[in-house]
Amino acid sequence: MLKAPVLLTRLASFMPVFDWGRRYDRDALGNDLVAAVIVTIMLIPQSLAYALLAGLPAETGIYASIAPIILYAIFGTSRALAVGPVAVVSLMTAAAIGKLAAPGSPELLLAAITLAFLSGVFLILLGVLRLGFLANFLSHPVVAGFITASGILIAMSQFRHILGISAGGDTLPELLSSLFEHLGEINWITFALGVSATAFLFWVRKGLMPLLLSTGMKPKLAGVLAKAGPVAAVFATTFAAWAFGLSENYGVKVVGDVPQGLPPLTMPSFSLDLWGTLIGSAVLISIIGFVESVSVAQTLAARKRQRIVPDQELIGLGAANVGAAFTGGFPVTGGFSRSVVNFDAGAQTPAAGAYTAVGLLLAAMLLTPLIYHLPKATLAATIIVAVLSLVDFSILKKTWTYSRADFAAVTATIVLTLVFGVEVGVTVGVALSILIHLYKSSRPHMAVVGRVPGTEHFRNVKRHKVEIDDTVLTVRVDESLYFANARYLEDSIYDMVAARPNLKHMVLMCPAVNEIDMSALESLEAINERLKVLGVTFNLSEVKGPVMDRLRRSDFLHHLSGKVFLSQHQAIVEIHGENPQIRLSCSQPQERTSP
């Protein structure tokens, strides 16, 4: 039988709650409760707004913020990550299910919870198989471009609620065309409410905190009140809509009836047809959600010298999504803004999220009748203010300056997302990330090197004044060798050899080669045979131990015309004999391209 400490250690590896829970104390409880109150105040309007963005009833936003938070607190590793509906995932949800059923219908909700279930199962599967590294194939520039384009689409999609018109669309051209077609239907009372709420929320983000501090208010209290700004907008516009009968008398669209009580127990569909329709979207939502979540979690963990476990994060987020599927929600992930608020408010453990869930549960049971008159324009204003902070066109300038390939990828991602929609944009973004990686690694940097005079160091002849010998060619390859670059390696070496009629020895310098696969091994064998015919010995130097281990398991070393040297200096000394300086001359440094 396992002893208790050993059992707890094993449980903690699967459920981190058994790790931080053992050290939970009164101080942590106090800090977590304060953070929970602040985040709950922030989450109520946000959850309603993101449900609206996903095309679902308002209450589903609150439902998607209760069970998922608790499950993440049990299975997740971040101490500050706040899980729930977020803008980009809500937009992707709307794109995935919007054409499957009528807005607000039971079929649409069934599609949403099925999407959450598929996303959760996919994330858990990735975590169990320890495949979190796959998210690394989605490059940061592509993610930044996708989020920027998504922010624009989200903001544009909410203008119809600000204007009080019945426009729609999934792409920027569709949204703009629909808005222009319906401009004659503007409800000016709705427009006034929406613009006022938007302006107020923008001011709250920047101006309320300094104003409160100038009155002598303590920073912590001022921070709480500043975060409660959206609640003030909700209260003021809801009161105005109720007091003046804006819905009944002036056609202002409001949230309407919201069921009061506990989140319902729901069951995802197990229809293979629906699964086939949603599985692609579920995979994309999972990848984007995980990348966004883990980047936030790692950033916040680094501030306190903590660490997260990406594979366990997959399981935590997967459990959260499965929880959303069985409690009437839709896909969720870790949100940037609420996580930062949670961190800044002093959250010490994931228990802060569990307390937030309790607060939202009380809101679902007690406060939902109060939001009947909440104008949809106010929720749209909340979304617009939240997502415009995601729009960052500076990534275009940065990538243009640093890497034209990354610039092409980020530009294509932005344009395709805006023109063809979020699913096409993120799919192409993933494909571009992988293709760019393959392109770069398929053409590895290769440098002819010579010895720096008076040293044992070897550097690129195009950057340094070095000693070289016409009878010896040393080529340093700065990439692992595999099927995609094996042919390029062969062709490059043949070209270099052909340009040197006096060549007697060729050395392939391998300090950066971490892998040689079967295709590359066959290329090395072909190079060895070709050089042997030409009377040129083929040598290797600075080969790493694991690579040598694999070479020894083949016949390559038995047929190698030259040797494998421990260092490049040793190679030159042995090739030239006792006096290595005899046939050396100095090349002149040319264009500076690499070390």
Side-chain angles (χ1 to χ4, degrees):
M1 180 178 290
L2 292 175
K3 295 182 179 179
V6 176
L7 179 61
L8 285 175
T9 300
R10 292 194 177 181
L11 283 174
S13 65
F14 297 102
M15 292 186 287
V17 65
F18 286 101
D19 178 25
W20 58 264
R22 286 182 292 173
R23 297 184 294 274
Y24 202 67
D25 56 24
R26 184 175 299 179
D27 290 338
L29 172 64
N31 289 327
D32 287 345
L33 285 173
V34 171
V37 170
I38 296 173
V39 175
T40 301
I41 292 171
M42 177 185 180
L43 266 184
I44 292 174
Q46 266 198 4
S47 299
L48 298 171
Y50 291 146
L52 180 72
L53 175 59
L56 298 168
E59 65 271 15
T60 60
I62 295 180
Y63 298 160
S65 301
I66 298 176
I69 297 178
I70 296 174
L71 287 168
Y72 179 80
I74 295 173
F75 293 100
T77 60
S78 172
R79 303 295 179 92
L81 191 70
V83 172
V86 300
V88 173
V89 170
S90 297
L91 177 66
M92 296 179 72
T93 299
I97 67 174
K99 296 179 181 178
L100 298 181
S105 65
E107 292 78 13
L108 191 71
L109 181 58
L110 179 63
I113 64 177
T114 303
L115 185 64
F117 176 75
L118 292 175
S119 178
V121 170
F122 179 72
L123 287 166
I124 291 173
L125 184 62
L126 289 181
V128 170
L129 297 177
R130 299 189 177 278
L131 297 177
F133 70 90
L134 292 176
N136 296 333
F137 286 102
L138 195 59
S139 68
H140 172 72
V142 166
V143 172
F146 172 73
I147 291 177
T148 292
S150 298
I152 295 171
L153 286 178
I154 291 168
M156 291 301 302
S157 71
Q158 298 308 298
F159 275 112
R160 62 191 176 101
H161 296 297
I162 298 291
L163 300 174
I165 60 179
S166 302
D170 296 324
T171 67
L172 187 60
E174 290 176 356
L175 288 168
L176 290 174
S177 175
S178 184
L179 286 173
F180 280 117
E181 287 178 7
H182 294 85
L183 278 179
E185 305 171 6
I186 293 178
N187 183 309
W188 292 104
I189 302 297
T190 299
F191 179 71
L193 280 173
V195 170
S196 299
T198 303
F200 173 74
L201 291 173
F202 270 119
W203 173 77
V204 164
R205 290 173 71 92
K206 300 291 184 181
L208 183 56
M209 184 79 169
L211 178 64
L212 295 175
L213 292 175
S214 67
T215 65
M217 186 177 294
K218 293 183 177 180
K220 197 163 189 176
L221 179 58
V224 173
L225 293 177
K227 299 298 186 299
V231 176
V234 167
F235 175 81
T237 55
T238 302
F239 178 78
W242 169 76
F244 298 104
L246 297 183
S247 176
E248 299 83 357
N249 301 325
Y250 301 99
V252 174
K253 295 181 180 179
V254 297
V255 170
D257 285 317
V258 176
Q260 184 177 6
L262 297 172
L265 293 177
T266 53
M267 182 68 68
S269 170
F270 291 94
S271 165
L272 294 181
D273 290 338
L274 184 59
W275 279 33
T277 302
L278 295 177
I279 189 64
S281 299
V283 170
L284 294 177
I285 287 173
S286 300
I287 293 173
I288 291 295
F290 173 65
V291 170
E292 180 179 354
S293 177
V294 80
S295 63
V296 174
Q298 287 175 334
T299 299
L300 297 180
R303 294 186 187 180
K304 289 190 175 181
R305 297 188 177 184
Q306 297 168 347
R307 63 183 295 272
I308 67 166
V309 182
D311 289 322
Q312 184 63 34
E313 284 296 291
L314 284 166
I315 295 175
L317 292 173
N321 277 278
V322 171
F326 286 98
T327 54
F330 57 97
V332 297
T333 192
F336 176 76
S337 58
R338 70 173 67 103
S339 297
V340 172
V341 170
N342 196 36
F343 181 87
D344 291 341
Q348 295 293 308
T349 72
Y355 303 146
T356 299
V358 173
L360 291 170
L361 186 63
L362 292 175
M365 295 175 62
L366 304 174
L367 301 181
T368 49
L370 302 180
I371 61 175
Y372 178 94
H373 292 282
L374 172 60
K376 290 187 176 181
T378 303
L379 295 180
T382 302
I383 293 173
I384 290 172
V385 173
V387 301
L388 285 183
S389 62
L390 302 176
V391 178
D392 178 21
F393 285 111
S394 67
I395 189 67
L396 293 172
K397 180 179 179 181
K398 293 176 183 176
T399 52
W400 174 262
T401 303
Y402 189 76
S403 169
R404 299 298 166 85
D406 285 334
F407 173 80
V410 72
T411 302
T413 302
I414 291 175
V415 171
L416 290 171
T417 301
L418 292 175
V419 176
F420 296 104
V422 292
E423 292 194 357
V424 172
V426 72
T427 301
V428 173
V430 172
L432 283 174
S433 296
I434 296 173
L435 288 174
I436 288 173
H437 167 73
L438 290 175
Y439 175 76
K440 290 178 178 178
S441 62
S442 70
R443 300 176 64 84
H445 178 262
M446 297 174 65
V448 176
V449 300
R451 185 167 57 188
V452 177
T455 74
E456 297 181 4
H457 301 294
F458 289 78
R459 295 292 184 267
N460 191 340
V461 299
K462 293 184 177 181
R463 292 182 62 92
H464 301 273
K465 188 174 183 179
V466 295
E467 297 171 337
I468 59 174
D469 180 355
D470 290 341
T471 65
V472 180
L473 170 65
T474 299
V475 178
R476 189 191 69 220
V477 58
D478 297 330
E479 183 69 65
S480 291
L481 303 177
Y482 71 119
F483 64 91
N485 59 30
R487 177 62 62 182
Y488 180 81
L489 173 72
E490 281 190 63
D491 293 341
S492 298
I493 288 179
Y494 294 156
D495 289 342
M496 294 177 189
V497 171
R500 293 165 171 79
N502 299 324
L503 189 65
K504 295 182 179 179
H505 308 280
M506 193 266 164
V507 183
L508 187 65
M509 190 175 172
C510 307
V513 177
N514 297 312
E515 176 76 15
I516 296 178
D517 75 356
M518 195 64 196
S519 298
L521 177 62
E522 291 177 354
S523 290
L524 292 179
E525 291 172 343
I527 293 170
N528 181 57
E529 293 302 319
R530 175 76 69 88
L531 295 183
K532 189 183 297 184
V533 171
L534 296 175
V536 178
T537 65
F538 183 42
N539 307 272
L540 303 179
S541 71
E542 302 188 11
V543 181
K544 293 185 176 180
V547 178
M548 276 298 299
D549 291 340
R550 298 190 68 175
L551 291 178
R552 290 192 182 103
R553 293 200 293 267
S554 71
D555 293 331
F556 173 71
L557 298 179
H558 298 294
H559 301 291
L560 186 63
S561 60
K563 296 182 179 180
V564 178
F565 296 99
L566 184 63
S567 70
Q568 183 59 30
H569 176 70
Q570 180 191 31
I572 294 299
V573 169
E574 289 199 23
I575 287 172
H576 285 299
E578 295 181 359
N579 187 356
Q581 303 291 331
I582 291 177
R583 294 182 297 275
L584 296 181
S585 61
C586 289
S587 68
Q588 296 298 321
Q590 302 172 30
E591 180 185 358
R592 296 183 178 273
T593 56
S594 65

